[in-house]
Amino acid sequence: MLANAFCRAIAIAAILIAFALPAFAGPFEDAVGKFANDEFSDTEEAIGVVAASGNPLAYPIISALQEERLMADPDTKKVYIKQADGKIIDAATGEAVAALPDRASAVSLNNRLRRTLDAALGGLTLLSPDPATRITAAQSVFKSREESVLPTVESALAKETNKAAKTALGEARAAILLFKPDASEVDKLEAVATIKARGDQEAMAMLSAVGSDQPQSVVKAAAAGVSAIQSKLAMWSGVQNAWYGLSLGSVLLLAAIGLAITFGVMGVINMAHGEMVMLGAYTTFVVQDLIRSNNPALFDYSLLIAVPLAFLVAGLVGILVERTIIRFLYGRPLETLLATWGLSLILQQAVRSAFGPTNREVGNPSWMSGAFELGQITITYNRLWILCFTLAVFALLLLMLRFTALGLEMRAVTQNRRMAASMGIATSRVDALTFGLGSGIAGIAGVALSQIDNVSPNLGQSYIIDSFMVVVFGGVGNLWGTLVGAFTLGIANKFLEPVAGAVLGKIAILVLIILFIQKRPRGLFALKGRAVEA
């Protein structure tokens, strides 16, 4: 009897416990309930517990809180997640809810909680299978320095095999330890060394934030780290300016190289040279427009198609201009200047009438889009390709001048026109082909410039004055002088801009060129020849 009664008691107790278990909330459920207290301290504590719980609902809760989709009812102390599709679920159980209670409202946040949220989200994605996601999460933790995710960071660091992700996780761990009150002095010194090795603006700001409450050795190490990073950043700033200068120099070289040929061989001051650049840019626009309309799959090849077409269009226009206008004005520089200036206005208005006065969209192919980091500088693919393209055009032009009959005739006419004519060279034909070649090169310059500048009727006017400065500074008719002049002026311009500003920097460059020409009227590399020296 007693045994049977005891067994029945145990069974009843087991049933009661089984039914009672759901009534007892665990740590996760308790933490979720704190979101309904409308206290920032309770919300911060709840974020830490939920993020560290490992519960599948942790990420939806934290992300909903960040996006103000976490709703709390102050009467029932229930918390709900408003999903992106409008559905409502119970934050503690994940069960669907028909509708939000009338008094439910978004959980309040302040700036401190937002930083805590960033760190919590970072911690929740530190163990993602995607290395890029892990790196992004580690960088988020580095910025927030949230102590609660330190165990997760150390766990992820121990398992990490990707080199870039391992570095990012190490930096995140160092950022936390540096400001963790109970971290050892040795750990803090190691953290300073890790952050110093990162060497960017964020690292310098973090080391600068080390206060006097830290151990003296840590304060000294942080100050030394700030000084080292400042020196490193100053060096990289110079490298960045040099890259910008090379980029600008490549644009100037491409725009000026055709002018150097016509100016050197024919002595013609062609004020319409910029419009040849503009024609090349509009040729690129037309090619891309046709490809978009008829065969979009060819868009990545649009520039390769546009380059020879732009050369032909601008080159034929150049030959036509030389045959109909320029050849009647040789030896009359003022009339030539006025005629080509008037021609530039006519070409601008013709393009404005055909295409409209507004800018035209010319897209970047996929292989010219984006950028990559090199140390502490950013290099865009379009600028890099333009630099390579410019050097390739320069090399091909040198080979043409050296190893072709037309190149030999052009050099002969450049050095002594009368002697070349007496040797049977048709100087008028050389003039026409030279003008066409210079105009064609300006056309392919327009193809390149369409990738970094607005395609408009005024495109060429932005480069004509700089092109003349490059030609005069380098030496009229000398291609090597044009190369050196373009890159020298480009780099000098970019180093002067941060100090004097864009306008004063250009004025300073112009003054320096005027002073230089006073000393060397023929430029850096003067042409040799009896006619030149006469």
Side-chain angles (χ1 to χ4, degrees):
M1 289 288 293
L2 288 172
N4 289 337
F6 182 70
C7 288
R8 283 197 300 271
I10 290 177
I12 292 169
I15 292 171
L16 289 173
I17 291 172
F19 279 104
L21 276 176
F24 293 99
F28 177 78
E29 290 78 7
D30 288 340
V32 172
K34 288 183 179 181
F35 286 119
N37 292 344
D38 200 24
E39 294 287 343
F40 289 142
S41 58
D42 286 345
T43 302
E44 184 172 15
E45 183 181 346
I47 291 170
V49 175
V50 169
S53 67
N55 192 294
L57 289 169
Y59 185 81
I61 290 172
I62 299 300
S63 59
L65 179 59
Q66 187 183 52
E67 297 169 9
E68 299 182 357
R69 294 185 291 104
L70 192 67
M71 317 300 288
D73 184 352
D75 293 336
T76 63
K77 300 297 182 183
K78 287 278 190 177
V79 181
Y80 306 92
I81 298 174
K82 185 192 292 184
Q83 295 180 309
D85 58 3
K87 295 179 180 178
I88 309 298
I89 63 171
D90 189 307
T93 64
E95 296 176 356
V97 177
L100 278 173
D102 292 337
R103 295 200 59 193
S105 60
V107 178
S108 301
L109 294 175
N110 58 15
N111 289 336
R112 176 182 173 84
L113 287 178
R114 288 188 179 90
R115 290 193 295 269
T116 305
L117 273 175
D118 289 340
L121 281 173
L124 287 170
T125 52
L126 284 170
L127 301 175
S128 168
D130 179 29
T133 303
R134 297 198 297 274
I135 291 171
T136 302
Q139 290 171 344
S140 177
V141 173
F142 177 86
K143 294 175 183 177
S144 65
R145 310 193 297 265
E146 183 60 39
E147 293 181 23
S148 62
V149 297
L150 181 59
T152 310
V153 171
E154 291 180 331
S155 173
L157 186 59
K159 300 174 185 176
E160 189 57 68
T161 55
N162 182 277
K163 184 178 179 181
K166 197 175 188 70
T167 300
L169 286 166
E171 292 168 353
R173 177 179 179 272
I176 296 171
L177 289 174
L178 181 59
F179 294 93
K180 195 171 186 291
D182 57 347
S184 68
E185 187 173 337
V186 173
D187 285 342
K188 287 178 179 289
L189 288 172
E190 290 179 356
V192 169
T194 301
I195 295 169
K196 174 186 171 183
R198 177 177 170 126
D200 61 2
Q201 291 283 357
E202 290 181 349
M204 185 172 71
M206 187 169 290
L207 292 180
S208 300
V210 173
S212 56
D213 56 329
Q214 299 273 24
Q216 194 61 29
S217 59
V218 176
V219 174
K220 289 183 178 179
V226 169
S227 178
I229 292 175
Q230 285 176 336
S231 300
K232 183 180 179 181
L233 290 177
M235 180 197 73
W236 279 111
S237 177
V239 174
Q240 183 78 75
N241 285 335
W243 164 248
Y244 288 153
L246 287 175
S247 177
L248 176 61
S250 67
V251 171
L252 293 177
L253 176 61
L254 206 53
I257 194 170
L259 190 63
I261 296 172
T262 55
F263 198 11
V265 174
M266 307 165 68
V268 173
I269 302 175
N270 180 18
M271 295 300 293
H273 184 78
E275 278 54 55
M276 303 303 167
V277 175
M278 182 235 343
L279 289 177
Y282 273 95
T283 301
T284 310
F285 163 71
V286 171
V287 168
Q288 287 197 352
D289 194 48
L290 290 173
I291 287 176
R292 284 193 185 100
S293 303
N294 299 294
N295 194 346
L298 289 176
F299 186 79
D300 275 350
Y301 303 97
S302 58
L303 294 190
L304 300 179
I305 298 170
V307 166
L309 290 177
F311 181 85
L312 287 175
V313 169
L316 290 174
V317 171
I319 292 174
L320 179 64
V321 169
E322 197 280 335
R323 289 288 84 187
T324 57
I325 299 175
I326 303 297
R327 74 189 185 102
F328 299 109
L329 300 174
Y330 288 131
R332 298 156 64 185
L334 182 59
E335 287 88 340
T336 304
L337 187 149
L338 291 174
T340 54
W341 179 64
L343 177 64
S344 74
L345 297 179
I346 293 171
L347 290 173
Q348 286 181 48
Q349 189 57 46
V351 169
R352 194 174 283 111
S353 300
F355 296 97
T358 56
N359 296 340
R360 289 295 181 172
E361 179 188 357
V362 175
N364 291 97
S366 60
W367 46 275
M368 285 188 75
S369 302
F372 64 93
E373 301 289 330
L374 182 63
Q376 296 292 327
I377 68 172
T378 301
I379 295 178
T380 56
Y381 284 112
N382 58 354
R383 293 278 184 175
L384 181 61
W385 278 111
I386 288 173
L387 176 61
C388 296
F389 178 69
T390 301
L391 294 177
V393 170
F394 182 81
L396 287 173
L397 189 58
L398 284 179
L399 291 174
M400 189 277 293
L401 290 174
R402 184 172 180 84
F403 296 108
T404 65
L406 176 60
L408 181 63
E409 291 175 352
M410 285 174 58
R411 286 188 288 138
V413 173
T414 301
Q415 293 182 21
N416 195 318
R417 177 177 290 271
R418 289 182 180 178
M419 183 62 73
S422 68
M423 297 296 294
I425 296 175
T427 56
S428 62
R429 180 181 66 87
V430 171
D431 287 338
L433 293 176
T434 299
F435 205 89
L437 177 64
S439 299
I441 292 174
I444 61 176
V447 178
L449 289 176
S450 70
Q451 300 299 296
I452 59 174
D453 207 339
N454 295 323
V455 177
S456 70
N458 300 320
L459 172 64
Q461 294 300 305
S462 305
Y463 297 95
I464 184 66
I465 302 301
D466 288 338
S467 298
F468 273 112
M469 285 199 300
V470 167
V471 171
V472 173
F473 177 64
V476 175
N478 191 302
L479 292 184
W480 284 107
T482 305
L483 175 74
V484 174
F487 285 120
T488 300
L489 293 182
I491 292 173
N493 204 336
K494 288 303 176 183
F495 273 95
L496 280 174
E497 274 185 10
V499 179
V503 176
L504 288 178
K506 280 192 173 293
I507 293 173
I509 292 291
L510 181 59
V511 170
L512 290 174
I513 290 177
I514 292 172
L515 294 175
F516 176 80
I517 295 301
Q518 293 294 317
K519 294 290 293 181
R520 291 180 66 91
R522 295 179 183 173
L524 282 172
F525 300 93
L527 285 175
K528 302 294 183 181
R530 291 182 181 178
V532 174
E533 293 168 355

